[in-house]
Amino acid sequence: MTAAGLGNAGERVEAARRMYDVVRRLYPLCRSITGEGLRESLRILAETVPLERSEVPSGTRVFDWTVPKEWNIREAWIADASGRRVVDFADHNLHVVSYSTPFRGRLGLQELAPHLHDLPDRPSWIPYRTSYYNETWGFCLTHDARRAMGPGPYDVLIDSSLKDGALTIAEHFVAGTSDREFVVSCHCCHPSLANDNLSAMAVCSEMAARLTARRTRYGYRFLFLPGTIGAITWLALNRDRLPRIAGGLVVAGVGDRGGFTYKRSRRGDARIDRVVERVLRRSGEDHRVEPFTPYGYDERQYNSPGIGLEVGRLGRTPYGQYPEYHTSADDLGFVHPESLAGALDLLLRVVDELESDPTYLNLEPRCEPQLGRRGLYRALGGDPDPGASQMAMLWILNFADGDHGLGEIAERSGIPIETLSRTAETLARHGLLRRDD
Amino acid sequence: MTAAGLGNAGERVEAARRMYDVVRRLYPLCRSITGEGLRESLRILAETVPLERSEVPSGTRVFDWTVPKEWNIREAWIADASGRRVVDFADHNLHVVSYSTPFRGRLGLQELAPHLHDLPDRPSWIPYRTSYYNETWGFCLTHDARRAMGPGPYDVLIDSSLKDGALTIAEHFVAGTSDREFVVSCHCCHPSLANDNLSAMAVCSEMAARLTARRTRYGYRFLFLPGTIGAITWLALNRDRLPRIAGGLVVAGVGDRGGFTYKRSRRGDARIDRVVERVLRRSGEDHRVEPFTPYGYDERQYNSPGIGLEVGRLGRTPYGQYPEYHTSADDLGFVHPESLAGALDLLLRVVDELESDPTYLNLEPRCEPQLGRRGLYRALGGDPDPGASQMAMLWILNFADGDHGLGEIAERSGIPIETLSRTAETLARHGLLRRDD
Amino acid sequence: MTAAGLGNAGERVEAARRMYDVVRRLYPLCRSITGEGLRESLRILAETVPLERSEVPSGTRVFDWTVPKEWNIREAWIADASGRRVVDFADHNLHVVSYSTPFRGRLGLQELAPHLHDLPDRPSWIPYRTSYYNETWGFCLTHDARRAMGPGPYDVLIDSSLKDGALTIAEHFVAGTSDREFVVSCHCCHPSLANDNLSAMAVCSEMAARLTARRTRYGYRFLFLPGTIGAITWLALNRDRLPRIAGGLVVAGVGDRGGFTYKRSRRGDARIDRVVERVLRRSGEDHRVEPFTPYGYDERQYNSPGIGLEVGRLGRTPYGQYPEYHTSADDLGFVHPESLAGALDLLLRVVDELESDPTYLNLEPRCEPQLGRRGLYRALGGDPDPGASQMAMLWILNFADGDHGLGEIAERSGIPIETLSRTAETLARHGLLRRDD
């Protein structure tokens, strides 16, 4: 493992372009928590990195939940008496409330009104609405369009289907040399919303592809899941795996121009928290750190008291703190290639840090081992300065008790992590140390 | 349970008047750690709230102590040669050292002097002195009266009795729906001292009466005890009950005009400490918080290492920090009805907080339970604002691990405790939560 | 035990003189980690305090190490063609690299150069160099002398021997009444370096002599060891004893004019750390406290993860932070009698504190014991001021739970440690308390 983050400027520009292309291709598809739009999106991601897909049948019990029926949609519109389509799903897939049941009929505006959703404060934006677990139908439209609507009558069509099918979840596993793994999770269930969630889908798939090319100590499991129900389903189906998970990250909303936001795991000072915060501090990037709250993305599920994984969340501007959130304004212009590249770079640095921040065990822990007879100690004594590599050895040997990662030793000692990492390898080669994975 | 504190202004004025009347009736009685004055005082309190009285015979072993002989007094005076009573117990019951042995004789001033106690710094005040465990007799008088005494001789009478009898302790138990309880303890052994201890006797009996009318989750055990020996006796006789006691408060000196003082339990961050401090912060009342010290009132006994109850102390100006303490100046004018009402209000708010700050267990702790199918989640998704009640559910479910009270969740989440409390009831009704009492 | 620190001014001056004399006598000897110079030094120390010496044969395995061959030297010089000795061990024993192998030969400057060590920045000082575990030879000389050397040839003689023998370690044990002990350790392996390590040798032997005259609760084990290999050897040979060691101090570099530096044990808040820091704060002496690092003196070995003793280090200016360190400028003029006395005084105060800061167990822990019937409580009650000795009793009884030392109780209560100590003895005499040693 020699990479540090995303690499050089050329590589960064190239990665930015590639991820933005993925966002652009995903954008027009109508994703939801189930259905063909989700499957097609995962097919596109699979061009970047192979994905293992699972289809979990509707009706499957997953903890307290049940996998819902599968939803698909072909056509949906509202037409006025003249046949002019006032709202048309063909124009924008946010126009239909996700999981809208099939409907065909002629209604006056008064009857139709409860099924119409707009944003009076943002008259030219279409809101995003869903109704996964409450069977109904509806249209989202701009406030301008809504205001222009006369008393009707209107012809309304929703040519959707809601029937037994499957929930699609996908993952890619980068095996490590140890059996400990970190999860990286993003949600894939939103339709034409570019920052939320396409940015994370593009970044996570690119990250997975890059890690596949590396040899890592830890395994990295990339989860591409419909929000909430997907995470719950994955957790329910992978209960046996949980003890091997050393922590993880939810990635969401990494395409806007804002600085980074790291939301801590419920524990608050888990290894993933310490590592991400260390990487953020060193990055020079504008960032802030937030405490855990039980609302947000799938970190809610991972950190629930009966699951107890140590999973933080990395994003840029948090959901709900930019007006474009969950509206048609979260479009391709709201996401920037360089923002995607910056997020990928940071995530790769987190991996670098995890990989170079292992915990070790000193195999000769009673007093210092005799470094001299192993050729590990300067030949001549007495010089006040023991030299950096010898200090690194002493620090590691003293703190290789299975409790301290190299990164923590680096902070405590002031010795660069790279030096410690190299030194740990040397000590391991001499049989004085082993990884405590 | 709907009350918050003491209720409206009218109720407050009424309660203040009633408690002050109790203080006024108790004031003239000569209480000590045993005897008829103590019994009569408990009879008066029992007009406010029923009391279960125990008479523990003299000689009973209670831990390292022995219940002392019972002391009663009828008459006591010092008369000069002309028959004028220089000091007369009939004028003020502080005039006799508590537990003075019977005495009759004629003495010159020189012989009498070691038996006279006054306060040169406060020439018009009578001090309060006791001699429970050291058989002797004495008089307390003003320095002015002391200085006016000539060489004598004086006729001295103490018509007291000190013989086998009983120690009287009393309690009132407000049963809760759970078997966990809090104790509220005050001492009842001081004679005519209005703030120390009549104020607490009046407030605690009124508080007990009010809680009796409520339905509470926790039990509340009100202890009316002679200081030190009473608490030790109660603890020795109730050893089996100790594991059920979740904490408690000693109440003392709540009638003066000073702000509140809360003295923490020995543990320092016990639940009772956190709750009282939260209530004080919110009250807007002038207050300060002190660390535990092993001196003071009966918190000494409750917090002793072999007992280990988590008991704090609530009062106004601490003993010894007001000059009137343990003198005749701690009289009816030193205690204010409104101070009594303020203390009662605060104590009731502590109960409100304890009752609304239970710890819970999430019964569906693996991921979030599906709130939607229980009708607990807004029907339509996508809105950035999840709404207060849904946030409350998520916070509670995530922290209902038996370690976090609702009040702590309130502080951490910024959600009002009332909302959390209501929400917890809703979740419990849906089988998602149970009290961890 | 009545002493407090070093005692009065006269005693201090006398002790300072005596310790400085020891430094002066030790200074000319050529010590190393083995050999006759070390043995002779221990003989001199044994005039102050009896030492139990052990000779551990070369080749003995001690943990990961092997006791090295014994090194002795008689003569060593470099002479120019005219026979003039350019460098002569007879002038200064720093002139020869410690553990130099025997050598005799004629060399040109070019051949000789790799064997010459000087300090260009400090042209008139001789550096100190060692080569214990790498068989070679060398000379240390001033930069001025080095620059004056012509192309040679030079006659070189090192009349040393490096052969199987023994490593000498020495200790003095002051037995306590309990079986718990503290170690006080100094290194004795440096040649003519007055502050590092003669100052500590003198102070530790004087301290040992003084403690021998006292009756102490804890045992105090004084270790006079060659650095690193000596500590490792002692630990390897005394594994059974380690569980009895309650903590300790490495003493080093206590003769310069600098303030004190205390380096914490690895644990950081061990009892020895709290005690030393308390003593330093009270001393009024200029001092600073440093966190543990795994470099330094033999605290490295004591605090290694497989040994785990709680050993801090007390010195004045730390090694490497004064330019004279490991050079001929660390001479008799660099060490001051008063600095030695100050260090001794501080160390004795640490002992005073340990001795007067025992942990106790309350033998009557349920409520307060009845002090009155034991004559331990003032006869007359009611006085607001309970008096210092009664407060001391209450504090001790409440915190005599085996977790709190008297010193901590002193800090928490504001009661002088002397009062607490006296009070604890009283309580123990009455069967209410026992030492938890």
Side-chain angles (χ1 to χ4, degrees):
Chain A
M1 218 196 73
T2 54
L6 181 47
N8 63 36
E11 208 174 338
R12 187 175 179 121
V13 166
E14 175 58 22
R17 190 197 54 72
R18 216 160 37 230
M19 292 186 286
Y20 191 77
D21 273 356
V22 168
V23 171
R24 190 149 45 193
R25 288 177 65 198
L26 293 172
Y27 185 73
L29 299 174
C30 181
R31 279 161 299 275
S32 185
I33 56 171
T34 60
E36 285 304 328
L38 172 60
R39 284 192 193 94
E40 176 60 19
S41 299
L42 295 172
R43 252 177 244 122
I44 290 171
L45 292 185
E47 295 176 20
T48 301
V49 70
L51 293 182
E52 182 187 335
R53 257 168 50 191
S54 308
E55 298 285 344
V56 184
S58 301
T60 305
R61 285 297 305 239
V62 286
F63 296 136
D64 188 56
W65 298 63
T66 305
V67 171
K69 289 177 184 165
E70 181 176 328
W71 182 71
N72 282 292
I73 183 160
R74 279 160 299 274
E75 195 180 356
W77 42 255
I78 300 172
D80 63 16
S82 73
R84 192 181 61 87
R85 297 200 174 166
V86 176
V87 183
D88 193 343
F89 172 69
D91 295 337
H92 204 297
N93 62 38
L94 287 182
H95 274 318
V96 170
V97 169
S98 198
Y99 261 65
S100 279
T101 48
F103 182 81
R104 175 185 295 267
R106 168 167 292 201
L107 294 84
L109 182 59
Q110 213 170 345
E111 284 169 295
L112 186 55
H115 296 275
L116 301 181
H117 308 282
D118 63 347
L119 295 169
D121 288 353
R122 303 282 178 178
S124 64
W125 295 359
I126 311 163
Y128 165 55
R129 292 291 178 271
T130 67
S131 189
Y132 301 137
Y133 301 100
N134 183 37
E135 295 201 0
T136 185
W137 59 266
F139 286 87
C140 300
L141 67 171
T142 66
H143 187 59
D144 289 340
R146 175 70 182 77
R147 268 191 314 184
M149 285 175 79
Y154 291 96
D155 286 312
V156 174
L157 172 77
I158 297 185
D159 179 14
S160 68
S161 63
L162 186 59
K163 49 192 176 190
D164 281 351
L167 176 88
T168 311
I169 59 179
E171 63 187 289
H172 175 79
F173 184 52
V174 179
T177 51
S178 87
D179 68 350
R180 303 274 287 160
E181 62 184 65
F182 285 86
V183 296
V184 179
S185 175
C186 66
H187 63 289
C188 307
C189 51
H190 288 25
S192 296
L193 296 165
N195 190 39
D196 174 15
N197 49 188
L198 304 184
S199 65
M201 291 165 71
V203 167
C204 289
S205 53
E206 180 74 16
M207 181 185 176
R210 280 165 181 272
L211 288 195
T212 302
R214 287 198 203 171
R215 178 180 166 77
T216 58
R217 310 303 266 277
Y218 292 106
Y220 294 89
R221 189 169 299 275
F222 291 84
L223 301 176
F224 299 89
L225 306 170
T228 305
I229 185 65
I232 290 167
T233 299
W234 188 88
L235 287 165
L237 299 180
N238 288 275
R239 265 170 279 191
D240 293 351
R241 193 185 302 283
L242 303 190
R244 275 180 269 160
I245 297 177
L249 287 174
V250 164
V251 182
V254 289
D256 63 278
R257 287 196 193 274
F260 287 109
T261 303
Y262 179 65
K263 174 180 166 180
R264 287 178 178 152
S265 75
R266 184 175 189 267
R267 187 183 131 187
D269 65 348
R271 190 166 168 220
I272 189 70
D273 300 320
R274 289 181 276 131
V275 164
V276 173
E277 292 176 40
R278 206 149 56 217
V279 169
L280 281 168
R281 277 197 304 275
R282 286 209 214 111
S283 71
E285 298 267 1
D286 175 35
H287 70 275
R288 57 188 174 130
V289 174
E290 293 184 342
F292 178 74
T293 61
Y295 190 62
Y297 294 103
D298 284 329
E299 67 274 13
R300 296 153 64 165
Q301 312 310 328
Y302 298 121
N303 288 281
S304 63
I307 298 295
L309 294 182
E310 297 172 347
V311 173
R313 188 184 81 208
L314 186 76
R316 292 184 177 276
T317 310
Y319 66 84
Q321 297 186 17
Y322 51 100
E324 296 83 356
Y325 174 74
H326 276 194
T327 75
S328 55
D330 179 3
D331 61 11
L332 288 171
F334 187 66
V335 163
H336 302 279
E338 171 51 29
S339 295
L340 301 174
L344 175 59
D345 180 61
L346 197 90
L347 286 162
L348 290 172
R349 286 180 193 278
V350 168
V351 170
D352 294 343
E353 183 77 7
L354 285 171
E355 292 288 317
S356 61
D357 186 32
T359 57
Y360 283 95
L361 287 179
N362 178 344
L363 301 176
E364 201 64 68
R366 297 171 307 176
C367 301
E368 292 165 10
Q370 192 177 3
L371 299 172
R373 69 173 164 90
R374 295 173 173 91
L376 296 175
Y377 213 72
R378 60 188 173 181
L380 199 72
D383 190 315
D385 177 11
S389 92
Q390 287 174 35
M391 282 304 272
M393 281 186 233
L394 296 176
W395 274 100
I396 293 170
L397 288 166
N398 198 290
F399 288 90
D401 54 3
D403 275 337
H404 298 81
L406 280 194
E408 290 185 82
I409 301 176
E411 291 209 338
R412 200 159 166 172
S413 68
I415 299 172
I417 186 76
E418 295 73 22
T419 306
L420 290 173
S421 201
R422 220 167 36 234
T423 305
E425 281 165 28
T426 303
L427 290 170
R429 215 161 41 235
H430 283 84
L432 291 173
L433 207 65
R434 72 168 171 78
R435 294 267 307 214
D436 181 39
D437 286 334
Chain B
M1 214 196 76
T2 54
L6 182 45
N8 63 36
E11 206 174 340
R12 187 174 179 123
V13 166
E14 176 59 21
R17 190 197 54 71
R18 215 161 38 230
M19 292 186 287
Y20 190 77
D21 272 357
V22 168
V23 170
R24 189 149 44 193
R25 288 176 64 197
L26 293 172
Y27 185 74
L29 299 173
C30 181
R31 280 161 298 277
S32 185
I33 55 171
T34 60
E36 285 305 327
L38 171 60
R39 283 191 193 95
E40 176 60 18
S41 299
L42 295 171
R43 252 176 244 124
I44 290 171
L45 292 185
E47 295 175 21
T48 301
V49 71
L51 293 181
E52 181 187 335
R53 257 171 47 193
S54 308
E55 297 286 345
V56 184
S58 301
T60 305
R61 283 297 304 239
V62 286
F63 296 135
D64 188 57
W65 297 63
T66 305
V67 172
K69 289 178 183 163
E70 182 176 327
W71 183 71
N72 283 290
I73 183 160
R74 281 159 299 274
E75 195 180 356
W77 41 255
I78 301 171
D80 64 17
S82 74
R84 193 182 62 89
R85 297 200 174 167
V86 177
V87 182
D88 193 343
F89 172 70
D91 296 335
H92 204 296
N93 62 39
L94 288 183
H95 275 318
V96 171
V97 168
S98 198
Y99 261 65
S100 279
T101 48
F103 182 81
R104 177 186 293 267
R106 171 169 289 203
L107 294 84
L109 182 58
Q110 212 171 344
E111 284 168 295
L112 186 56
H115 296 275
L116 300 180
H117 309 282
D118 63 347
L119 295 169
D121 288 353
R122 304 281 179 180
S124 64
W125 295 358
I126 310 163
Y128 165 55
R129 293 290 179 271
T130 68
S131 189
Y132 302 135
Y133 301 99
N134 183 37
E135 294 201 2
T136 185
W137 58 267
F139 287 87
C140 300
L141 66 170
T142 67
H143 187 59
D144 290 340
R146 174 70 183 80
R147 268 191 316 185
M149 284 174 78
Y154 292 97
D155 286 311
V156 174
L157 173 76
I158 297 186
D159 178 13
S160 67
S161 63
L162 185 59
K163 47 191 175 189
D164 281 349
L167 176 89
T168 312
I169 59 180
E171 62 187 288
H172 174 78
F173 183 53
V174 179
T177 52
S178 89
D179 67 351
R180 303 275 287 161
E181 63 184 64
F182 286 85
V183 295
V184 180
S185 175
C186 66
H187 64 287
C188 307
C189 50
H190 289 24
S192 296
L193 296 166
N195 190 39
D196 176 15
N197 47 188
L198 304 182
S199 65
M201 291 165 72
V203 167
C204 289
S205 54
E206 179 75 17
M207 181 184 176
R210 280 166 179 270
L211 287 194
T212 302
R214 287 198 203 171
R215 177 180 167 77
T216 57
R217 310 302 268 276
Y218 293 106
Y220 294 89
R221 189 169 299 275
F222 291 85
L223 303 175
F224 299 88
L225 306 169
T228 305
I229 185 64
I232 291 167
T233 299
W234 189 87
L235 287 166
L237 300 180
N238 289 277
R239 264 169 281 190
D240 294 348
R241 192 185 303 284
L242 303 189
R244 277 181 267 160
I245 297 177
L249 287 174
V250 164
V251 182
V254 289
D256 63 278
R257 288 197 192 275
F260 287 109
T261 302
Y262 179 65
K263 174 181 166 180
R264 287 178 177 152
S265 75
R266 185 174 187 267
R267 187 182 131 187
D269 64 347
R271 190 164 168 221
I272 189 70
D273 301 319
R274 288 181 277 131
V275 164
V276 173
E277 291 176 41
R278 205 149 56 217
V279 169
L280 280 167
R281 276 196 306 273
R282 287 209 214 112
S283 70
E285 297 267 2
D286 175 34
H287 71 275
R288 57 186 173 131
V289 175
E290 292 184 343
F292 178 74
T293 61
Y295 190 63
Y297 294 102
D298 284 330
E299 67 274 14
R300 296 154 63 163
Q301 312 308 329
Y302 298 122
N303 288 282
S304 63
I307 298 295
L309 293 182
E310 297 172 346
V311 173
R313 189 185 79 209
L314 187 75
R316 291 185 178 275
T317 310
Y319 67 83
Q321 298 185 17
Y322 51 99
E324 296 84 354
Y325 174 74
H326 276 194
T327 76
S328 56
D330 179 4
D331 60 13
L332 288 170
F334 187 66
V335 163
H336 302 279
E338 170 52 27
S339 295
L340 302 174
L344 175 60
D345 180 61
L346 196 89
L347 286 162
L348 290 172
R349 286 180 193 278
V350 168
V351 170
D352 294 344
E353 183 78 7
L354 285 171
E355 292 288 316
S356 61
D357 186 32
T359 56
Y360 284 95
L361 286 179
N362 178 344
L363 301 176
E364 201 64 65
R366 298 171 305 176
C367 301
E368 292 165 9
Q370 192 177 2
L371 299 172
R373 68 175 165 88
R374 296 174 173 90
L376 297 174
Y377 213 72
R378 61 186 172 182
L380 199 72
D383 190 315
D385 178 9
S389 93
Q390 287 175 33
M391 282 303 272
M393 282 187 231
L394 296 176
W395 274 101
I396 292 171
L397 288 167
N398 199 291
F399 288 91
D401 54 3
D403 275 337
H404 297 82
L406 280 194
E408 289 185 83
I409 300 176
E411 291 209 338
R412 198 160 166 170
S413 68
I415 299 173
I417 187 76
E418 296 72 23
T419 306
L420 289 174
S421 201
R422 220 167 37 235
T423 305
E425 282 165 27
T426 303
L427 290 170
R429 214 161 43 234
H430 283 82
L432 291 173
L433 207 65
R434 72 169 171 78
R435 295 267 306 214
D436 181 40
D437 287 333
Chain C
M1 216 198 72
T2 53
L6 181 47
N8 63 36
E11 206 173 340
R12 187 175 180 120
V13 166
E14 176 58 22
R17 189 197 54 71
R18 215 161 37 233
M19 291 186 287
Y20 191 77
D21 273 355
V22 168
V23 171
R24 192 150 43 195
R25 288 176 65 198
L26 293 171
Y27 184 73
L29 299 174
C30 180
R31 280 161 298 277
S32 185
I33 55 172
T34 60
E36 285 305 327
L38 171 61
R39 284 191 193 94
E40 176 60 19
S41 299
L42 295 171
R43 253 176 243 124
I44 291 171
L45 293 185
E47 294 176 22
T48 301
V49 72
L51 293 182
E52 181 188 336
R53 255 169 50 191
S54 308
E55 298 285 345
V56 185
S58 301
T60 305
R61 283 297 304 239
V62 286
F63 296 135
D64 189 56
W65 298 63
T66 306
V67 171
K69 289 178 183 164
E70 181 176 328
W71 182 70
N72 283 290
I73 183 161
R74 282 160 297 273
E75 193 181 358
W77 42 255
I78 300 171
D80 64 15
S82 73
R84 192 182 61 88
R85 297 200 175 166
V86 177
V87 183
D88 193 343
F89 172 70
D91 295 338
H92 204 297
N93 63 38
L94 287 182
H95 274 319
V96 170
V97 169
S98 197
Y99 261 66
S100 280
T101 48
F103 182 81
R104 177 185 293 267
R106 169 166 292 202
L107 293 85
L109 182 59
Q110 214 169 344
E111 283 168 294
L112 187 54
H115 296 275
L116 300 181
H117 309 281
D118 62 348
L119 295 169
D121 288 353
R122 303 281 179 182
S124 65
W125 295 358
I126 310 164
Y128 166 54
R129 293 291 179 270
T130 67
S131 189
Y132 301 137
Y133 301 100
N134 184 36
E135 294 202 1
T136 184
W137 59 266
F139 285 87
C140 300
L141 67 170
T142 67
H143 186 58
D144 290 341
R146 174 70 183 77
R147 266 191 315 185
M149 285 174 78
Y154 290 97
D155 285 310
V156 175
L157 172 76
I158 297 185
D159 179 13
S160 68
S161 64
L162 185 60
K163 48 192 175 188
D164 281 349
L167 177 88
T168 312
I169 59 180
E171 62 188 290
H172 174 79
F173 184 54
V174 179
T177 51
S178 88
D179 67 352
R180 302 274 287 160
E181 62 183 65
F182 286 85
V183 296
V184 179
S185 175
C186 67
H187 63 289
C188 308
C189 50
H190 288 25
S192 297
L193 296 166
N195 190 39
D196 174 18
N197 46 188
L198 304 183
S199 65
M201 291 165 71
V203 167
C204 289
S205 54
E206 180 74 17
M207 181 184 176
R210 280 165 180 270
L211 287 194
T212 302
R214 287 197 202 171
R215 179 181 166 76
T216 57
R217 310 302 266 278
Y218 292 106
Y220 295 88
R221 189 169 298 276
F222 291 84
L223 302 176
F224 298 88
L225 306 169
T228 305
I229 185 65
I232 291 167
T233 298
W234 188 88
L235 288 166
L237 299 180
N238 290 276
R239 264 170 280 191
D240 293 350
R241 191 184 304 282
L242 304 189
R244 276 181 268 159
I245 297 177
L249 287 174
V250 164
V251 182
V254 289
D256 63 279
R257 288 197 192 274
F260 287 109
T261 302
Y262 179 64
K263 174 180 166 180
R264 288 177 177 154
S265 75
R266 185 174 188 267
R267 188 183 130 187
D269 64 348
R271 190 166 169 222
I272 188 69
D273 300 319
R274 288 181 276 131
V275 163
V276 173
E277 292 176 40
R278 206 149 56 217
V279 170
L280 280 168
R281 277 196 304 274
R282 287 208 214 112
S283 70
E285 297 268 1
D286 175 34
H287 70 275
R288 58 186 173 132
V289 174
E290 293 184 343
F292 178 74
T293 60
Y295 190 62
Y297 293 102
D298 284 330
E299 67 274 14
R300 296 153 64 163
Q301 312 309 328
Y302 298 120
N303 287 282
S304 63
I307 298 295
L309 294 181
E310 297 173 344
V311 173
R313 190 185 79 209
L314 186 76
R316 291 184 178 275
T317 311
Y319 67 84
Q321 296 185 19
Y322 51 98
E324 296 83 356
Y325 174 74
H326 277 195
T327 75
S328 55
D330 179 4
D331 60 14
L332 288 170
F334 188 66
V335 163
H336 302 278
E338 172 51 29
S339 295
L340 301 174
L344 175 60
D345 180 62
L346 196 90
L347 286 162
L348 290 171
R349 286 180 193 278
V350 168
V351 169
D352 293 344
E353 183 78 7
L354 285 171
E355 291 289 314
S356 62
D357 185 33
T359 57
Y360 284 95
L361 286 179
N362 178 345
L363 301 176
E364 202 63 70
R366 297 170 308 175
C367 301
E368 290 166 11
Q370 192 177 2
L371 299 173
R373 68 174 164 89
R374 295 174 172 91
L376 296 175
Y377 213 72
R378 60 191 172 177
L380 201 70
D383 191 313
D385 178 11
S389 92
Q390 287 174 35
M391 282 304 272
M393 280 186 232
L394 295 178
W395 274 101
I396 293 171
L397 288 167
N398 198 290
F399 289 91
D401 54 3
D403 275 337
H404 297 82
L406 280 194
E408 289 185 83
I409 300 176
E411 291 209 337
R412 199 158 168 172
S413 67
I415 299 172
I417 186 75
E418 295 72 23
T419 306
L420 289 174
S421 201
R422 219 167 37 234
T423 305
E425 281 165 28
T426 304
L427 290 170
R429 214 161 42 236
H430 283 82
L432 291 173
L433 207 64
R434 72 168 171 77
R435 294 269 305 216
D436 180 40
D437 285 336

